[in-house]
Amino acid sequence: TIHDRDRYDRYAAGFLTTLTGFDGRLLAADESPILAEGTWDHEKVVLLEFRDVGEYERWATSPAYTRIAEDRRAATAGRALVVRSM
């Protein structure tokens, strides 16, 4: 859930470039997901794909991402999950 749009937009503006040099890609980013079942009390869903958990961790701890992640954490409330594919 985004509670500081200006700060979140600053984060979003720099987000895609943080994936450069990592084996990851943005699959979806939707501020109006359709709830098919159950309850959901957030506004946005972002789905990323990485080659493996190690590559995700390398990206998530990179200087490029940690520099902008501060804005995301301050501007939003939500959850982050790592899901392994089958």
Side-chain angles (χ1 to χ4, degrees), residues 1-4 41-44 72-79:
T1 301
I2 301 165
H3 54 81
D4 183 338
D41 62 348
H42 297 289
E43 299 168 349
K44 185 167 186 170
R72 180 191 52 82
R73 289 186 193 101
T76 65
R79 308 287 181 270

Side-chain angles (χ1 to χ4, degrees), residues 39-58:
T39 61
W40 178 255
D41 62 348
H42 297 289
E43 299 168 349
K44 185 167 186 170
V45 173
V46 177
L47 183 62
L48 305 173
E49 177 183 56
F50 289 90
R51 179 184 63 231
D52 55 36
V53 174
E55 193 67 1
Y56 158 75
E57 290 171 346
R58 194 168 79 81

Side-chain angles (χ1 to χ4, degrees), residues 8-30 44-50 59-60 62 64-69 72:
Y8 183 80
D9 287 349
R10 186 171 61 208
Y11 161 78
F15 176 79
L16 283 177
T17 61
T18 69
L19 293 172
T20 302
F22 299 93
D23 193 8
R25 65 187 182 121
L26 177 64
L27 298 178
D30 190 342
K44 185 167 186 170
V45 173
V46 177
L47 183 62
L48 305 173
E49 177 183 56
F50 289 90
W59 167 78
S62 70
Y65 184 69
T66 57
R67 187 170 30 257
I68 68 165
R72 180 191 52 82

